[in-house]
Amino acid sequence: MTRQNLFSDLWDGENNEIGMRWRTFSRPDDARMGATLHELAPGASGMRWHMHFGGEEMFFVLSGRPVFRDSDGERQLAPGDFVFSPEGRAGLHAYSNPTDEPVQILAISAGGFPDVVAYPEHGYAWVATRDPDAELLARGGDPGIIARFEIPIE
C-alpha cells in the first residue's frame, strides 16, 4: 500500500495555461477506482468540456466556489457540493474558477482502460491505454495515448 495524504502540499503536475495543478492518488494498474485532487487558481479557466467513454467521475468541492458546466448549463458550486458525471455524452463536464479565491475539487473516477476522451467543442478525441503522462511525452516516451483523432466540432 502506498500511503498518501490529501492535505499534504505535494503536487504531481501543473498547467499554468488553464490555471490548475493536481495530485493523483496512486492505485494498482488493474484498479478501476482512482482519485485526483485538482486545485484551480483564482480566475482559472479550468479544463475543457469533455466526456469519457471508459469511466465515470464524481466531484466533491473541498474549498472555493467553482463553476461546473454540464449539458444542462453552468452553475456555481460551494464547499461540500457533489456532482456526478456518467460515462458518455450524458457526462459532458468542465469546471472553472471565476472567483478571487483558490478552489480545490476531489475527483473520484471509476473506469478502465482503454478510455476514449472526447472534446466536442475543440474537435478531437483520444484513446489511452493508461493515464497520459505529459513528462514521458515531452521526453519522447510512451505517454499512454495510443491514438488522437478529429471529431466534428459542436
Side-chain angles (χ1 to χ4, degrees), residues 9-128:
D9 199 30
L10 301 174
W11 298 93
D12 295 319
E14 183 172 358
N15 183 327
N16 291 324
E17 183 179 324
I18 63 172
M20 186 167 60
R21 63 183 179 168
W22 59 89
R23 180 178 328 125
T24 303
F25 294 92
S26 61
R27 63 180 177 169
D29 288 339
D30 59 348
R32 294 185 52 83
M33 294 288 297
T36 304
L37 177 64
H38 298 274
E39 184 174 85
L40 282 75
S45 63
M47 60 179 48
R48 294 179 171 180
W49 204 43
H50 67 283
M51 60 188 142
H52 295 266
F53 290 93
E56 53 193 24
E57 296 176 290
M58 56 181 146
F59 304 98
F60 296 88
V61 178
L62 303 180
S63 64
R65 298 188 56 83
V67 169
F68 183 79
R69 178 182 174 208
D70 63 11
S71 299
D72 295 327
E74 293 184 348
R75 59 193 170 278
Q76 189 162 43
L77 303 177
D81 283 346
F82 158 80
V83 291
F84 177 76
S85 292
E87 184 175 5
R89 180 162 291 283
L92 274 164
H93 67 278
Y95 44 85
S96 62
N97 180 13
T99 72
D100 293 333
E101 299 293 324
V103 163
Q104 285 194 339
I105 299 169
L106 181 62
I108 299 176
S109 61
F113 289 97
D115 184 14
V116 177
V117 183
Y119 298 84
E121 292 180 323
H122 296 279
Y124 71 93
W126 51 259
V127 179

